[in-house]
Amino acid sequence: KMNKDKIELNGVNYIWPVKPVVVICIDGGDQEYYESGVQDGIIPNIENFMKNGFYSIAQGSMPSFTCPNNMSIVTGSEPKIHGISGNYYLDKITGEPVVMTGPELLRSVSIMTKFSQKGATVVSITAKDKLRKQLQKGMDLSGGSVSFSSQYVEKCTLTENGIENTLDFVGIPKPDMYSAELSLFVLEAGIKLLKERRPNILYLSLTDFIQHSHAPGSPVANQFYSDMDECFGRLQELDAVVALIADHGMGDKADENGDPNVIWLQDILNQELGSGLTKVICPITDAFVGHHGSLGGFVRIYITGEISHEAIIDVTENLHGIERVYLAEEVSKDLELPLDREADVAVIADKKTVIGGSEEDHDLSALKGERLRTHGSLHEAHIPFVISEPLNNEYQDKAGEKKLRSHQIFDFAINGTI
Ligand code: ZN
Ligand code: ZN
């Protein structure tokens, strides 16, 4: 049944992996966590990969949010190709804001899916269930392949997930939705499956709950990185290629008093242009709003009344804290986004600022007075790209030619290490 040919997806050929390849997406895995982890001596395995394997800083997809970047990583392409340009968008036909997690919105399938269709055993585990259906779109679960989330681990069935009684199988209790354990569970389940089923490819995608609330070098962040590092060491010991990527970085967005630097863009537009003419959509929005109050560094403005693009640009582009304002065609071209899913205007904040809609629509109580840490801007689109093994000559050359993209991690981990 196994057809050990190479597979092709979005213009890239992937050879049949010689040994298991594990790609881990550390959600919000800013490079500063590695820098301070190395300094504090708490991530010896990652440090070993960086020294004796391969390490570079890569360019992630924009906007620097979870859904677009996970899909870029697993499809080896940019949002322009795979279609996922936010966590949340405005359906132009119904006028309703909707989450962007439906598999029908994904215009590709994942590398794991492609391999599963050729008879490979693949594993896809995500902390947040919102990613799961897109990750496993078209996946053949009949040959031992598995796809589930730690968020809904107790609901796994053989038909939907390729595995049942998963809590018993992994042997640790179900983690809380807002916890470091939600991510560590993903890694433990991956280790167990690697041991028992020796799949060809594993994709383990974590959550950024810790990074949103704990700065690099803080005790909680260090504990989380040290726990993850220990898991990465165990994966390598099981004779797998271990590749570490991030969907985006994480930045501090508070001022000297500890208050978030927020531009309430809908309020400003209503005040300057009139109510009901524009709709600001914050594409960071997801079910985990406790992390960030739906505040990020990138928003889209839809025209809903009689107002010109120029009038919107005049109001937005000189606001303090705004880095770039784009028309749809420009943002689609510059940032490789699907034009048919763009709004009329896209607005990107600077390194220290976030953009919201109307102040009354954002609940910041979950911040509990902590400094706001979040992502979405160009500044969180630089992410560490680490592989446990050195690259072959061809891929060393490829890495030196131009800036790496996060969507190349599977290509490098599969094709670049033999
Ligand atoms: Zn994320
Ligand atoms: Zn986040």
Side-chain angles (χ1 to χ4, degrees):
K1 171 172 169 241
M2 198 111 62
N3 178 2
K4 290 194 175 188
D5 270 349
K6 58 177 190 255
I7 68 145
E8 192 274 336
L9 182 64
N10 297 321
V12 181
N13 289 308
Y14 299 87
I15 61 160
W16 200 266
V18 187
K19 61 182 183 181
V21 169
V22 191
V23 173
I24 296 138
C25 176
I26 303 178
D27 198 324
D30 199 276
Q31 68 187 91
E32 283 186 20
Y33 288 98
Y34 284 172
E35 286 163 10
S36 91
V38 167
Q39 210 167 8
D40 295 342
I42 53 147
I43 49 169
N45 291 300
I46 300 172
E47 208 176 336
N48 173 37
F49 300 167
M50 289 161 99
K51 271 192 196 129
N52 301 311
F54 176 75
Y55 170 53
S56 182
I57 297 295
Q59 178 76 42
S61 300
M62 281 293 291
S64 49
F65 295 135
T66 299
C67 294
N69 276 282
N70 268 270
M71 291 311 130
S72 295
I73 291 164
V74 301
T75 63
S77 70
E78 287 300 307
K80 186 175 221 158
I81 306 289
H82 62 67
I84 305 304
S85 56
N87 299 348
Y88 202 74
Y89 80 118
L90 189 76
D91 185 325
K92 285 184 195 169
I93 295 161
T94 64
E96 290 297 317
V98 284
V99 287
M100 216 167 182
T101 53
E104 71 287 353
L105 295 170
L106 180 66
R107 294 170 172 160
S108 175
V109 293
S110 67
I111 294 158
M112 296 85 79
T113 287
K114 273 277 181 178
F115 270 103
S116 78
Q117 292 169 348
K118 286 255 185 168
T121 311
V122 302
V123 166
S124 171
I125 312 174
T126 161
K128 307 176 190 182
D129 199 70
K130 68 175 182 181
L131 294 171
R132 180 182 58 84
K133 288 201 172 117
Q134 289 181 345
L135 290 172
Q136 75 179 69
K137 178 182 179 180
M139 191 177 281
D140 182 352
L141 297 174
S142 67
S145 292
V146 164
S147 170
F148 68 93
S149 71
S150 51
Q151 187 182 354
Y152 293 137
V153 58
E154 78 283 9
K155 295 183 182 166
C156 287
T157 63
L158 277 178
T159 345
E160 180 65 20
N161 311 96
I163 187 168
E164 56 187 1
N165 302 322
T166 318
L167 279 170
D168 288 345
F169 174 77
V170 181
I172 47 178
K174 191 195 164 175
D176 186 74
M177 179 159 158
Y178 291 108
S179 68
E181 284 70 31
L182 193 71
S183 290
L184 297 172
F185 187 94
V186 172
L187 297 176
E188 291 293 350
I191 291 168
K192 181 88 176 178
L193 283 159
L194 178 59
K195 244 185 230 166
E196 306 220 337
R197 299 194 184 181
R198 205 134 183 94
N200 303 93
I201 292 177
L202 299 91
Y203 182 63
L204 309 177
S205 184
L206 313 183
T207 149
D208 59 5
F209 170 67
I210 295 295
Q211 291 90 339
H212 268 293
S213 31
H214 299 277
S218 64
V220 174
N222 273 4
Q223 183 62 52
F224 181 50
Y225 267 76
S226 147
D227 290 344
M228 284 197 294
D229 184 81
E230 194 256 334
C231 291
F232 302 153
R234 281 154 64 204
L235 287 164
Q236 190 190 31
E237 268 172 32
L238 292 166
D239 195 25
V241 175
V242 182
L244 308 177
I245 195 75
D247 54 350
H248 49 76
M250 190 67 70
D252 184 301
K253 312 288 180 179
D255 64 17
E256 60 272 25
N257 300 319
D259 298 321
N261 291 313
V262 191
I263 295 172
W264 300 111
L265 192 56
Q266 187 72 69
D267 294 339
I268 293 171
L269 289 168
N270 289 353
Q271 196 179 356
E272 298 290 322
L273 303 172
S275 293
L277 302 179
T278 58
K279 175 132 188 85
V280 174
I281 289 285
C282 302
I284 191 174
T285 305
D286 68 7
F288 287 69
V289 287
H291 292 23
H292 44 58
S294 291
L295 292 168
F298 182 106
V299 299
R300 295 189 168 98
I301 306 172
Y302 293 80
I303 294 178
T304 53
E306 291 293 313
I307 191 79
S308 70
H309 295 81
E310 290 71 26
I312 295 172
I313 290 172
D314 282 347
V315 171
T316 47
E317 74 180 349
N318 294 319
L319 290 172
H320 182 70
I322 296 294
E323 186 160 307
R324 278 295 294 269
V325 178
Y326 292 97
L327 290 172
E329 293 75 16
E330 297 166 342
V331 76
S332 159
K333 189 164 177 290
D334 268 30
L335 302 180
E336 300 178 72
L337 288 161
L339 182 57
D340 62 326
R341 288 180 179 168
E342 275 311 309
D344 295 287
V345 176
V347 185
I348 307 185
D350 69 13
K351 192 174 165 57
K352 296 297 292 177
T353 309
V354 290
I355 311 169
S358 286
E359 186 168 9
E360 60 177 18
D361 294 336
H362 290 260
D363 179 8
L364 300 188
S365 61
L367 284 176
K368 299 184 187 97
E370 297 290 321
R371 297 179 72 82
L372 176 66
R373 299 176 51 75
T374 189
H375 49 94
S377 84
L378 293 159
H379 302 276
E380 292 86 37
H382 306 281
I383 42 103
F385 184 112
V386 180
I387 300 178
S388 60
E389 297 190 11
L391 298 179
N392 58 33
N393 288 337
E394 185 193 343
Y395 275 76
Q396 272 176 31
D397 290 347
K398 205 168 164 175
E401 276 161 18
K402 54 181 177 187
K403 177 112 181 164
L404 278 178
R405 307 297 300 262
S406 60
H407 75 237
Q408 294 176 289
I409 190 77
F410 272 101
D411 179 19
F412 274 64
I414 293 173
N415 297 321
T417 56
I418 54 133

